[in-house]
Amino acid sequence: MRNILKRNSKTVNVGPLDYSEKQTEKEVETYKQISEDIKKDDSSPIKAENGFEKTSLPPVENLALKSEVNSTTDQKMTQEDTVNDGADEQMLRVEDNDKLTSKRDEVKFIKGDHQNGDAKIDIGGTPTPAFTGMTKEELMKYANDPFWVRLRWIFFITFWFIWLAMLGGAIFIIIDAPKCAAPAPLPWYKRGLLARFSTFSVAEDDIVKVQKMKAAGAIYELPAEFTYTVRDADVEKKIKDIVNRYNDIDVNVVFDIVPNFVPKQSRIMTEAIADESKRSAFIWIEKPEAPNKWLSLVNGSAWSEVLPGNYVLSQFGDGLYDLHMNDTIVKRELSDVLRHLAALGVKGIRMKNSKFYILSKNIQDEIPSGNTQYDLTEYGFWTHTHTTFQEGLGDTLYEYKAIFENSTDDALFTVAEDMIRPEVYKTHNGEMSVDIPMYGRFVQNLGSEAHLSANNELMRKMGTGAWLQWNLEDINKVASDNPSAIIYFLSLLPGTPILPADGLDKLNGSMYKHIAQLRSSPSYMHGDFHTFDSEHLLAYARIKSGNPGYFVVYNPTEVERKGNFTLQGLPEKMSLHSFSDNFIISSNNTKSNILTDELEISPGSTVILSYVPLKSD
């Protein structure tokens, strides 16, 4: 059995105790003899028993209690509890009692559970005096003290300095933080149409035509004999005149050049005749007779004897000698031409005859092409595998492109004819060598329903990012009745229409205005391109989130057609934006409320609708 000594929340084990059923638990008290004066004082709060003052024990913690206590002194009297289980009494010593008495604390033994022999001791503790701060009067003594005044000002100024510094830092971070970059605008040659002239001078009404067509650029022809003489005063003056005239109306000038042959009187040819080391610029063969039976484009022999026993390839006619465009001499000469044109303000170059730029020095005879429209004395009868589309063409063009683009800002470098075999125009790493290539018979086939499937397939490929030139030189052959239908249809395709200025300038001026607005819209410049399947119609849309979408439909057939386009994600109703001259508005529709699937497209016409793109778009 155990006794438990507890002070406040602590319990101290003081040893085994045992109690009989007849014994009762009593508080242990100590007594000290008091003087007679105190006895006679009835007002004393201390009650005396047998002449002794009653005191209480101080708190006891970790005391070693003895098992025997002497009771022989006169100043101490202890009430004992006899324990009959063989355990000794546990008493406090007198000297310890004196120390405890002086602290005026109270120790109580409280009866516990007699069944297990536990007893608890409650020892009162001396309370810790609470901390009290300075009073208001005491604090006011320091209010005007110089030290504290100065310290308060330091803290005040420091706080506001830090606050202002944080505010300034936040403003700097906001201003200096990189902003979401706006989409880069399309280059000028992709934003607008290009008007083409077949002359080397500006006519009086050329400027008026370009302005009416809202063209972004004007294309002029640099004669072949002037290609390598652009530094001559007369040639340079004409180029400057053209550029200056169009700078006044903010239109860029593009030149078509012919760099792949030179006349006999050219400096390059005369130097080659005089110096054998400069003959590498040509296909120069020393033989007593023509090296083979190659034909020129004018159906005569492709070889010209410039010196006795010296033949030079001449495919473009008598006195015009082919240049080997990847030769070092030619590269140096043409690079100088490109840089000088850029210095004169020319912003675009279109290279003509590009398929002839790389020539094979293998002079074996050509094989027949199998085209029965020609006989063996005509150029079209042969394949010309050694003089056209040679390997390395793409890399050579890319070198010239880099030279021109490094010479002027926002430059255009491309070709002027159909590539026919666009894969040959790619560099060794698969990159297209020019900016906006021209290939395929898309425009020529637009007027024919028979080519509808092929045109749909080509339009699907346009969504991959290819940007083409749309050559409309022969537009009158495609749509002689109403060329506006073709122009409207091509206007929002990912490409640049090349329009002949002579003739097309007579079309409705509002058409060019609408096209300029459409091509400058976010949906065209930065939007997505989607094609739609139809059995009889060609249709596509330009869409950008947060902007009006544009839906373009062209009917190449000779009868009126409808298309079920709502099943392909288009809204049920649209608004009419633009249409070709031969489009007839049905009486069932209004310009601002057209049922998409009920819209009837007139034969050979184009209509452009605007709409709010659905979330799925």
Side-chain angles (χ1 to χ4, degrees):
M1 309 298 286
R2 298 177 295 112
N3 281 341
I4 298 176
L5 177 62
K6 178 179 180 185
R7 180 184 181 185
N8 296 333
S9 63
K10 297 181 180 179
T11 302
V12 181
N13 192 351
V14 296
L17 292 175
D18 191 12
Y19 299 92
S20 63
E21 293 181 359
K22 295 181 180 181
Q23 291 176 327
T24 61
E25 185 178 65
K26 299 180 180 179
E27 293 184 1
V28 178
E29 300 175 345
T30 61
Y31 299 86
K32 180 173 69 176
Q33 191 171 5
I34 61 178
S35 63
E36 293 295 330
D37 296 335
I38 297 176
K39 290 179 182 181
K40 294 177 182 181
D41 189 359
D42 295 335
S43 64
S44 173
I46 303 175
K47 296 181 180 181
E49 295 180 8
N50 299 328
F52 290 89
E53 178 186 5
K54 183 177 179 181
T55 62
S56 297
L57 289 174
V60 180
E61 190 170 342
N62 299 329
L63 295 177
L65 301 179
K66 302 293 184 179
S67 62
E68 293 183 358
V69 179
N70 294 326
S71 58
T72 58
T73 62
D74 294 335
Q75 299 178 356
K76 177 179 177 186
M77 182 175 181
T78 306
Q79 182 179 352
E80 301 176 352
D81 289 331
T82 305
V83 181
N84 296 324
D85 60 356
D88 297 330
E89 293 182 342
Q90 297 181 1
M91 302 292 292
L92 294 173
R93 292 183 299 174
V94 175
E95 51 271 29
D96 294 334
N97 180 57
D98 291 339
K99 296 178 182 178
L100 296 174
T101 302
S102 62
K103 298 182 180 179
R104 306 297 299 168
D105 290 334
E106 183 179 358
V107 178
K108 292 183 180 181
F109 285 89
I110 302 172
K111 181 179 179 181
D113 187 359
H114 70 277
Q115 294 181 356
N116 56 21
D118 290 342
K120 296 181 181 178
I121 301 175
D122 188 8
I123 305 174
T126 303
T128 303
F131 173 78
T132 58
M134 299 175 68
T135 64
K136 180 179 179 181
E137 291 75 12
E138 291 174 327
L139 288 172
M140 292 304 295
K141 294 178 182 180
Y142 300 97
N144 297 321
D145 184 273
F147 171 78
W148 295 106
V149 171
R150 185 168 56 254
L151 186 62
R152 287 198 302 273
W153 275 109
I154 291 174
F155 287 158
F156 178 80
I157 294 172
T158 302
F159 167 79
W160 284 108
F161 175 79
I162 294 174
W163 189 89
L164 291 174
M166 293 171 60
L167 178 63
I171 294 174
F172 174 78
I173 291 173
I174 293 172
I175 295 175
D176 190 62
K179 300 175 179 61
C180 295
L186 292 176
W188 60 269
Y189 54 85
K190 291 184 177 181
R191 290 196 299 268
L193 312 176
L194 298 182
R196 184 178 181 278
F197 299 91
S198 58
T199 61
F200 183 45
S201 61
V202 180
E204 293 182 0
D205 59 346
D206 284 1
I207 302 297
V208 176
K209 292 177 180 179
V210 170
Q211 288 179 316
K212 181 179 179 179
M213 297 171 69
K214 306 293 182 183
I219 304 174
Y220 281 84
E221 187 89 20
L222 181 66
E225 62 269 23
F226 294 156
T227 301
Y228 293 96
T229 61
V230 292
R231 290 187 179 274
D232 290 356
D234 293 340
V235 178
E236 187 176 280
K237 184 177 181 298
K238 288 185 177 182
I239 295 173
K240 283 183 178 181
D241 180 62
I242 296 173
V243 171
N244 293 335
R245 294 282 297 274
Y246 283 101
N247 281 343
D248 294 337
I249 61 172
D250 195 26
V251 172
N252 294 304
V253 173
V254 180
F255 272 106
D256 286 351
I257 66 173
V258 183
N260 66 305
F261 62 82
V262 293
K264 186 174 183 178
Q265 66 273 20
S266 69
R267 178 177 49 83
I268 298 176
M269 188 62 194
T270 56
E271 290 179 354
I273 293 174
D275 187 352
E276 293 184 5
S277 64
K278 295 185 178 181
R279 294 177 182 177
S280 61
F282 304 92
I283 302 298
W284 195 295
I285 304 295
E286 294 185 15
K287 272 193 173 185
E289 57 184 16
N292 55 30
K293 297 180 180 180
W294 288 358
L295 297 178
S296 69
L297 276 72
V298 294
N299 298 326
S301 174
W303 298 99
S304 177
E305 188 175 18
V306 294
L307 293 173
N310 289 264
Y311 289 86
V312 178
L313 186 64
S314 178
Q315 297 186 91
F316 292 88
D318 293 339
L320 301 176
Y321 304 103
D322 292 44
L323 292 173
H324 202 45
M325 298 297 293
N326 61 348
D327 179 75
T328 304
I329 296 173
V330 178
K331 284 183 179 181
R332 182 175 64 247
E333 294 290 338
L334 183 55
S335 297
D336 181 69
V337 169
L338 296 175
R339 292 190 184 99
H340 191 62
L341 289 174
L344 295 176
V346 177
K347 288 294 184 180
I349 296 293
R350 296 204 313 166
M351 307 280 277
K352 300 186 73 172
N353 301 332
S354 58
K355 67 180 181 180
F356 298 98
Y357 285 1
I358 307 299
L359 303 172
S360 173
K361 293 184 178 180
N362 182 352
I363 56 174
Q364 295 180 355
D365 287 334
E366 298 285 0
I367 60 176
S369 64
N371 192 334
T372 57
Q373 295 180 358
Y374 305 97
D375 61 40
L376 54 83
T377 62
E378 295 179 296
Y379 183 83
F381 183 82
W382 307 97
T383 57
H384 309 288
T385 56
H386 299 295
T387 55
T388 58
F389 302 114
Q390 294 294 296
E391 183 180 355
L393 175 59
D395 290 325
T396 300
L397 282 170
Y398 191 80
E399 287 185 47
Y400 293 126
K401 175 176 178 279
I403 291 169
F404 186 68
E405 290 183 344
N406 290 334
S407 303
T408 184
D409 297 329
D410 209 11
L412 165 65
F413 186 90
T414 186
V415 295
E417 298 105 357
D418 191 338
M419 290 179 172
I420 301 176
R421 294 174 56 188
E423 69 279 1
V424 180
Y425 285 79
K426 294 183 178 180
T427 63
H428 64 279
N429 56 7
E431 183 179 356
M432 183 57 71
S433 58
V434 297
D435 290 316
I436 46 175
M438 183 191 303
Y439 57 83
R441 297 185 55 82
F442 180 73
V443 176
Q444 292 82 348
N445 294 336
L446 276 179
S448 172
E449 186 179 2
H451 296 94
L452 187 64
S453 177
N455 285 338
N456 266 319
E457 181 63 26
L458 182 57
M459 284 174 57
R460 280 190 286 270
K461 292 180 180 179
M462 294 177 193
T464 62
W467 200 281
L468 305 177
Q469 292 182 68
W470 307 122
N471 186 10
L472 298 176
E473 291 289 336
D474 299 326
I475 189 172
N476 289 328
K477 297 178 182 179
V478 178
S480 58
D481 295 339
N482 201 326
S484 64
I486 301 296
I487 297 174
Y488 262 128
F489 181 73
L490 294 173
S491 63
L492 290 182
L493 285 174
T496 302
I498 311 296
L499 303 178
D502 295 330
L504 293 184
D505 62 296
K506 296 180 176 62
L507 294 175
N508 191 343
S510 62
M511 178 190 71
Y512 294 114
K513 183 179 179 180
H514 290 160
I515 291 174
Q517 292 174 347
L518 290 169
R519 292 180 70 90
S520 62
S521 67
S523 295
Y524 178 75
M525 292 197 296
H526 310 296
D528 297 327
F529 175 77
H530 296 281
T531 61
F532 295 86
D533 295 329
S534 177
E535 185 178 358
H536 302 290
L537 301 174
L538 291 172
Y540 65 91
R542 302 308 296 257
I543 306 167
K544 179 173 172 50
S545 178
N547 295 273
Y550 296 105
F551 180 59
V552 184
V553 187
Y554 170 62
N555 180 9
T557 69
E558 297 180 356
V559 296
E560 198 171 65
R561 300 287 185 180
K562 291 182 180 180
N564 297 321
F565 297 112
T566 56
L567 298 177
Q568 301 181 50
L570 290 175
E572 294 181 357
K573 295 182 179 181
M574 297 188 187
S575 298
L576 188 62
H577 185 279
S578 305
F579 51 88
S580 60
D581 296 339
N582 58 342
F583 175 74
I584 301 174
I585 301 176
S586 172
S587 59
N588 297 328
N589 297 302
T590 64
K591 289 187 177 182
S592 60
N593 189 20
I594 293 179
L595 296 175
T596 305
D597 286 345
E598 296 299 322
L599 178 63
E600 297 175 346
I601 312 298
S602 305
S605 66
T606 297
V607 61
I608 301 177
L609 306 174
S610 63
Y611 66 100
V612 178
L614 302 175
K615 290 184 178 180
S616 59
D617 291 343

